[in-house]
Amino acid sequence: MVTNGTDPYLKIENLWKAFGTFLALKDISLDIQDGEFVCFLGPSGCGKTTLLRAIAGLDLQSKGAVSQGGVDVSNLPPSQRDYGIVFQSYALFPNLTIEKNIAYGLENTGHSKSEINARVSELLELVGLSEQRKKYPAQLSGGQQQRIALARAIATNPGLLLLDEPLSALDAKVRVHLRHEIKELQRKLGVTTVMVTHDQEEALAMADRIVVMNNGTIEQVGTPTEIYRDPANLFVADFIGEMNQIPAIAGKSGTLCFDAEPLKCAPHSFTEGQEVIAAIRPEDVIPHGEEGTSENEENSMTVRVEEMEFLGSFWRCRLQHPQFGGNELIADFSINAVRRLDLRAGMDTKIELPSGRLLAFDKPEV
Ligand code: ATP
């Protein structure tokens, strides 16, 4: 199925899913373009698997529509939809050899035995496991089994690849390695892919676009950079990466007030005097050392370094400033900066909060 280049390949319109009286999906609408790699990311129970299962037809939506390649598939059974799927638990047939596992979906498709054999060889080569074809799943590692599951999912050249937490069961090193492999394979094949994950790093590393979900709704859709650098709200800011959150009062446009002087911040639309949450990522705090480095530093202040923790590739520092009303500011400083500025726990140092990286969000209701 091919789209005309402007229509989305996968279109989800006003999708609702109820389990009894519980609403797992609330009015989800989303367009996914042909060839895109999209990750559904969110905390446990937010509805990401339910959404994937609705796309697959494994759990039908209560209301709303799904179309793929311009065809309404909302009420089609899984067998009549055009996708391959990989689950967290590999789900290989333990009593079949690797080659038979991969060939499974190709049988009854009208292909000859030799055509199927050639396709299995091609797929085994694609996932780098040609040597293993005569083995049984139990004789392979978790990472190898998941590669086989992937080969099986793409065997029929589906228009859509669905991945349900495919890396969660693997240990950290294999996971990182395999996520590169999956991404490369996806690029090579150009297959539209939707992956469910609760691992933000995985989503940031693999996705063209991330759909951040919470409580059955979509909080934000954007590229990994957009989601990380310009979170739409405090939920997204807090869920992805580390974020300092300090109560503040909105000042005139582009300023925030703590106790003392207003600080410049990224443009916001709050009215002056409104209670907000000021947020800045730890890595955006710039250290300037005891003396500071220039007169013109923006949002410059002197803080006490309360504690420093060495985290291998950087130092995580807890900073105190009376202006933050007892809230500490977490800052991640590079090893070079700590060495160059001779930063130590217990000392006072100047820091800068770059205005473009100081964000203001609605204060959550309690
Ligand atoms: P996780 O990362 O833990 O898998 P998730 O975001 O994928 O979470 P879902 O599996 O989509 O979450 O579930 C969303 C909500 O719907 C949860 O509260 C879950 O308990 C509920 N739910 C899912 N399937 C069913 C079901 N078959 N019957 C009743 N409730 C269900």
Side-chain angles (χ1 to χ4, degrees):
M1 282 187 270
V2 190
T3 55
N4 66 15
T6 52
D7 290 341
Y9 178 67
L10 191 68
K11 193 169 182 65
I12 297 162
E13 287 174 283
N14 307 107
L15 209 77
W16 294 77
K17 175 68 186 177
F19 292 110
T21 54
F22 176 75
L23 292 175
L25 296 176
K26 303 171 197 164
D27 203 15
I28 300 281
S29 293
L30 179 69
D31 286 352
I32 295 177
Q33 300 305 321
D34 194 19
E36 254 194 314
F37 193 126
V38 169
C39 279
F40 295 167
L41 175 69
S44 182
C46 70
K48 40 195 196 301
T49 302
T50 305
L51 184 54
L52 191 86
R53 292 177 65 83
I55 294 170
L58 296 169
D59 270 331
L60 282 192
Q61 64 285 343
S62 312
K63 256 198 299 186
V66 178
S67 52
Q68 185 181 344
V71 177
D72 186 344
V73 297
S74 309
N75 295 307
L76 292 183
S79 58
Q80 287 177 32
R81 299 193 190 196
D82 177 25
Y83 68 83
I85 191 163
V86 175
F87 299 99
Q88 178 180 337
S89 56
Y90 325 138
L92 298 176
F93 302 113
N95 54 334
L96 297 184
T97 59
I98 296 311
E99 60 183 357
K100 292 217 164 99
N101 260 284
I102 298 177
Y104 189 81
L106 295 167
E107 277 152 19
N108 307 320
T109 52
H111 292 96
S112 69
K113 244 184 161 172
S114 65
E115 281 170 336
I116 293 177
N117 211 21
R119 178 69 177 144
V120 169
S121 299
E122 186 188 1
L123 288 159
L124 278 167
E125 195 164 323
L126 203 61
V127 297
L129 289 173
S130 299
E131 312 289 296
Q132 317 287 344
R133 64 186 302 155
K134 298 289 178 201
K135 286 191 177 166
Y136 287 87
Q139 294 172 296
L140 299 188
S141 71
Q144 289 173 325
Q145 288 187 57
Q146 202 53 310
R147 284 202 202 108
I148 298 300
L150 197 62
R152 188 179 59 179
I154 57 175
T156 56
N157 270 325
L160 183 63
L161 179 62
L162 302 176
L163 308 170
D164 188 1
E165 303 254 11
L167 304 172
S168 311
L170 305 171
D171 73 50
K173 265 211 166 142
V174 179
R175 211 156 60 213
V176 170
H177 188 71
L178 204 51
R179 81 182 180 209
H180 285 295
E181 282 191 15
I182 293 179
K183 182 69 197 157
E184 249 176 46
L185 193 66
Q186 189 270 343
R187 248 192 228 132
K188 196 146 113 190
L189 301 175
V191 59
T192 310
T193 300
V194 179
M195 182 172 99
V196 164
T197 179
H198 61 266
D199 182 331
Q200 41 158 306
E201 199 181 289
E202 210 165 277
L204 290 170
M206 295 176 80
D208 294 321
R209 280 193 309 153
I210 298 176
V211 177
V212 184
M213 296 183 65
N214 179 30
N215 211 4
T217 60
I218 292 177
E219 295 278 355
Q220 186 173 4
V221 182
T223 64
T225 325
E226 283 163 356
I227 297 277
Y228 190 84
R229 300 287 286 177
D230 294 308
N233 53 44
L234 203 53
F235 174 84
V236 177
D238 194 36
F239 186 71
I240 295 170
E242 300 278 338
M243 189 65 104
N244 287 289
Q245 296 176 29
I246 301 166
I249 304 288
K252 286 198 173 62
S253 164
T255 63
L256 281 172
C257 301
F258 298 87
D259 279 350
E261 289 283 291
L263 296 182
K264 285 187 192 155
C265 68
H268 62 70
S269 51
F270 293 104
T271 49
E272 208 176 332
Q274 200 174 332
E275 287 186 60
V276 295
I277 297 292
I280 186 163
R281 295 215 183 269
E283 68 270 25
D284 287 330
V285 178
I286 301 175
H288 283 306
E290 245 163 338
E291 305 300 327
T293 48
S294 97
E295 290 300 302
N296 305 324
E297 289 150 15
E298 190 181 60
N299 291 347
S300 162
M301 62 187 72
T302 301
V303 293
R304 166 70 47 93
V305 182
E306 289 288 342
E307 208 180 293
M308 292 177 67
E309 193 183 2
F310 181 55
L311 291 183
S313 52
F314 63 91
W315 286 86
R316 173 149 296 174
C317 302
R318 298 181 182 281
L319 311 176
Q320 282 286 352
H321 186 277
Q323 199 171 347
F324 299 138
N327 291 283
E328 63 185 11
L329 190 70
I330 306 288
D332 291 344
F333 295 149
S334 73
I335 293 169
N336 275 343
V338 167
R339 195 181 303 132
R340 182 168 43 83
L341 300 168
D342 194 22
L343 297 177
R344 283 160 282 116
M347 75 186 282
D348 287 346
T349 183
K350 274 202 164 172
I351 59 159
E352 176 189 337
L353 306 181
S355 60
R357 305 308 313 141
L358 184 61
L359 311 174
F361 293 110
D362 270 314
K363 196 177 161 189
E365 285 169 22
V366 272

